[in-house]
Amino acid sequence: MHESAWERDEGAGPKLDGELRSAFGIREEIERRVRSGIWAPGERLTSERDLAEHFETTRVTLREALSMLESEGRLYREDRRGWFVAPPRLVYDPTERGTFDRTARAQGRVPVTRLLDFAVVPCAPRVSALLALPVGLPILRIRRQRFLDGRAVLYVEHHLQPDAFPGLETADLTGSMTEIYERDYGFSYGGMVFEITTVGLHPAAAEPLRMAVGSPGLLVTRAHDDRAGRRVDCDFEYWRHDAILVRVAA
Amino acid sequence: MHESAWERDEGAGPKLDGELRSAFGIREEIERRVRSGIWAPGERLTSERDLAEHFETTRVTLREALSMLESEGRLYREDRRGWFVAPPRLVYDPTERGTFDRTARAQGRVPVTRLLDFAVVPCAPRVSALLALPVGLPILRIRRQRFLDGRAVLYVEHHLQPDAFPGLETADLTGSMTEIYERDYGFSYGGMVFEITTVGLHPAAAEPLRMAVGSPGLLVTRAHDDRAGRRVDCDFEYWRHDAILVRVAA
DNA sequence: AAGTGGTCTAGACCACCAG
DNA sequence: TGGTGGTCTAGACCACTTG
């Protein structure tokens, strides 16, 4: 019976009062408003207390409905800041290199990158596995935060061998890493590997994404080789799960 | 401060009573038991009421903790059946063809496929976009359910042109579709495209996965061409988000 | 300072699953 | 049929964001 929620024509009428008061009914009504454009992408919803009153229910039930829409990617929240209508997903191809800015602009979005920090740190086990370096060896770590139309959608960690990139700290680290590699160090890429998996966000990723710790995220891990087959770098991309659609042609 | 939850050594001691009673503290304690193997993969947890009593909290808070672990992929639930410890993820490469069985066995898992149905249906819009066929044209749809070690992890819909595969209904549809194409119809593949995105499960996918409608899932969409560049088929794979890790070498 | 989201309590009823 | 998970109520306090 509820199957209709996913098959319904756009123009279907409002639900009965009884259904409106359940979490599922509220979910449907909000989804209808979002799809019809009554609530526009990026718009902040009114407070949970107001919405709960409007739907004649409690905050717990209302939040249940909002959470459903969050896991579907129609709404998103910023920790303690409120609920917002989710913008369209960015179509993203992890096999291409240094394309965040270009891809975003090609899709009519406004990308911004912020450098969080730049440090030499001991090689962590997961990095060791990807770069084939001993755990504890000093390596370069660059952490960045990336925005789409003002919304933080991505937290990235780049890990690379420090001796292969002397003087990297003087480069502009808010653009494409690939361009820097090519222009300043004459690197050209060979193969690559990527992984995609769902994760619960740890604090280091949750905070720059303005999400609550433990929220679901999509982790895209990438590792690149140069033409000689040497592993050059790897990165860990923590995406808001609702901000991205991966598309790859093989 | 809570950052330690993701960095802590395996052998760290139990938390203070105060922390144990918060959803986050409970999350940590359960995670510890899962990681240490006290609770084994596939094992069913005791009832929510028992757990709530054990942690001296209410069911609402307890469920909050369980939900965190669910979104992290450490626990999973089967609708109305209870909570279970999640088995390891299947490492899966969508660019390979017909590999569910082989991949699963190579990773020491026991795969099973069940045919749900086989029908000629009107071409849906999303299928039309992938197969470049008019909406409404009759096409073949095969729906299957796939298990890993007895757990339903995948619901798949295959869509193909009926006239290209006469007599397909007589084949064994619980194995690799690719093998059937090649052996019975002499097809050989050219390129392919795949997409990965998070979704809220609609009823048709949620039910065979034994999940609640609206739960988060991972949708892997694939479309294959033959060597002449003709689009042969497409499929929609709805995975339990915690059952899969996509890995692709490009 | 006010209002917000995040969290928690202590109940309750229902539909469903298993014994 | 008893126990389970799913859902819901009607409050409450706190930390934080915002004006």
Side-chain angles (χ1 to χ4, degrees):
Chain A
M1 176 263 262
H2 276 150
E3 189 145 2
S4 61
W6 277 266
E7 322 260 298
R8 190 193 309 112
D9 288 345
E10 302 291 331
K15 310 295 289 189
L16 302 171
D17 275 354
E19 297 188 24
L20 257 184
R21 276 205 279 273
S22 73
F24 199 91
I26 295 166
R27 187 209 82 90
E28 289 190 56
E29 176 57 24
I30 295 178
E31 187 191 16
R32 200 172 305 120
R33 295 184 192 188
V34 169
R35 280 208 290 201
S36 69
I38 296 176
W39 290 349
E43 188 175 333
R44 184 177 177 284
L45 272 56
T46 52
S47 78
E48 293 180 357
R49 285 169 178 84
D50 284 355
L51 288 169
E53 189 182 9
H54 175 261
F55 288 111
E56 299 179 276
T57 186
T58 59
R59 274 183 68 210
V60 174
T61 302
L62 189 265
R63 279 170 65 86
E64 182 64 26
L66 296 175
S67 296
M68 289 183 205
L69 290 158
E70 182 187 31
S71 79
E72 291 171 47
R74 292 209 182 270
L75 298 182
Y76 70 96
R77 70 177 115 175
E78 296 198 357
D79 197 26
R80 290 175 189 283
R81 257 165 284 253
W83 294 85
F84 303 82
V85 178
R89 294 171 187 263
L90 182 74
V91 179
Y92 174 70
D93 182 350
T95 65
E96 294 191 17
R97 288 171 269 259
T99 52
F100 181 82
D101 281 34
R102 197 159 10 106
T103 302
R105 269 190 274 268
Q107 293 173 41
R109 314 293 286 271
V110 180
V112 168
T113 301
R114 193 163 82 91
L115 178 67
L116 291 173
D117 64 18
F118 175 98
V120 176
V121 300
C123 185
R126 64 173 184 173
V127 179
S128 161
L130 283 169
L131 295 185
L133 295 174
V135 172
L137 193 85
I139 57 165
L140 274 183
R141 187 192 64 189
I142 299 165
R143 303 195 305 155
R144 309 196 293 178
Q145 188 182 17
R146 302 192 115 164
F147 300 81
L148 234 37
D149 304 323
R151 172 193 183 203
V153 297
L154 173 61
Y155 161 78
V156 208
E157 293 183 2
H158 299 265
H159 296 258
L160 24 134
Q161 297 198 45
D163 38 306
F165 302 94
L168 187 63
E169 63 276 11
T170 64
D172 171 21
L173 296 175
T174 64
S176 155
M177 295 301 300
T178 306
E179 273 180 25
I180 296 172
Y181 296 169
E182 289 178 346
R183 190 186 56 226
D184 300 349
Y185 300 93
F187 262 90
S188 65
Y189 281 112
M192 67 93 62
V193 190
F194 71 89
E195 291 183 0
I196 299 176
T197 190
T198 56
V199 290
L201 295 175
H202 56 260
E207 201 248 335
L209 290 174
R210 311 188 96 170
M211 295 178 79
V213 165
S215 313
L218 206 66
L219 169 59
V220 180
T221 304
R222 310 195 295 173
H224 297 109
D225 304 329
D226 65 15
R227 292 211 181 278
R230 279 184 305 257
R231 196 47 67 83
V232 179
D233 71 338
C234 66
D235 51 52
F236 302 93
E237 306 181 341
Y238 294 87
W239 293 82
R240 292 195 80 113
H241 81 273
D242 52 46
I244 176 182
L245 185 158
V246 171
R247 179 180 293 155
V248 178
Chain B
M1 173 265 259
H2 275 150
E3 187 143 5
S4 61
W6 277 265
E7 321 260 298
R8 190 193 308 113
D9 288 344
E10 301 292 330
K15 309 294 291 186
L16 302 171
D17 274 354
E19 298 187 24
L20 257 183
R21 275 204 279 272
S22 73
F24 199 92
I26 294 166
R27 188 209 81 91
E28 290 190 55
E29 176 57 25
I30 295 177
E31 187 191 16
R32 200 173 306 122
R33 295 185 192 186
V34 169
R35 280 208 290 202
S36 69
I38 296 176
W39 290 349
E43 188 175 332
R44 184 177 177 283
L45 272 54
T46 52
S47 78
E48 293 181 358
R49 286 168 177 84
D50 285 354
L51 288 169
E53 189 182 11
H54 176 260
F55 288 112
E56 299 179 275
T57 186
T58 60
R59 274 183 69 209
V60 174
T61 302
L62 189 264
R63 278 170 67 86
E64 182 64 26
L66 296 175
S67 296
M68 290 184 206
L69 289 159
E70 182 187 32
S71 79
E72 292 170 47
R74 292 211 181 271
L75 298 182
Y76 70 97
R77 70 178 116 174
E78 297 197 358
D79 198 27
R80 291 177 187 281
R81 258 165 283 254
W83 293 85
F84 303 81
V85 178
R89 293 170 188 262
L90 182 73
V91 179
Y92 174 70
D93 182 350
T95 65
E96 294 190 19
R97 289 173 267 260
T99 52
F100 181 83
D101 282 34
R102 196 157 14 104
T103 302
R105 270 190 273 268
Q107 294 174 39
R109 313 293 286 270
V110 180
V112 169
T113 300
R114 193 162 82 92
L115 178 66
L116 293 174
D117 63 20
F118 174 98
V120 176
V121 299
C123 184
R126 63 173 185 173
V127 179
S128 161
L130 283 169
L131 295 186
L133 294 174
V135 172
L137 194 86
I139 57 165
L140 273 183
R141 187 191 65 188
I142 299 165
R143 304 194 305 153
R144 309 196 292 177
Q145 186 183 19
R146 302 194 113 163
F147 300 81
L148 233 37
D149 305 321
R151 173 194 183 203
V153 296
L154 172 62
Y155 161 78
V156 208
E157 292 183 4
H158 300 265
H159 297 258
L160 25 134
Q161 297 197 48
D163 38 305
F165 303 94
L168 188 62
E169 64 276 10
T170 64
D172 171 20
L173 295 175
T174 65
S176 155
M177 295 301 300
T178 306
E179 272 181 25
I180 295 171
Y181 296 168
E182 289 178 345
R183 191 187 54 228
D184 299 350
Y185 300 92
F187 262 91
S188 64
Y189 280 113
M192 66 94 63
V193 189
F194 71 90
E195 291 183 0
I196 300 176
T197 191
T198 56
V199 290
L201 295 175
H202 55 261
E207 201 246 337
L209 290 175
R210 313 188 95 168
M211 295 176 79
V213 165
S215 313
L218 206 65
L219 169 59
V220 180
T221 305
R222 308 195 297 172
H224 298 109
D225 304 328
D226 66 14
R227 292 212 182 277
R230 279 185 304 259
R231 196 45 71 79
V232 180
D233 71 338
C234 66
D235 52 50
F236 301 93
E237 306 181 339
Y238 294 88
W239 292 82
R240 292 195 79 113
H241 80 274
D242 52 43
I244 177 182
L245 184 158
V246 171
R247 178 180 294 157
V248 178

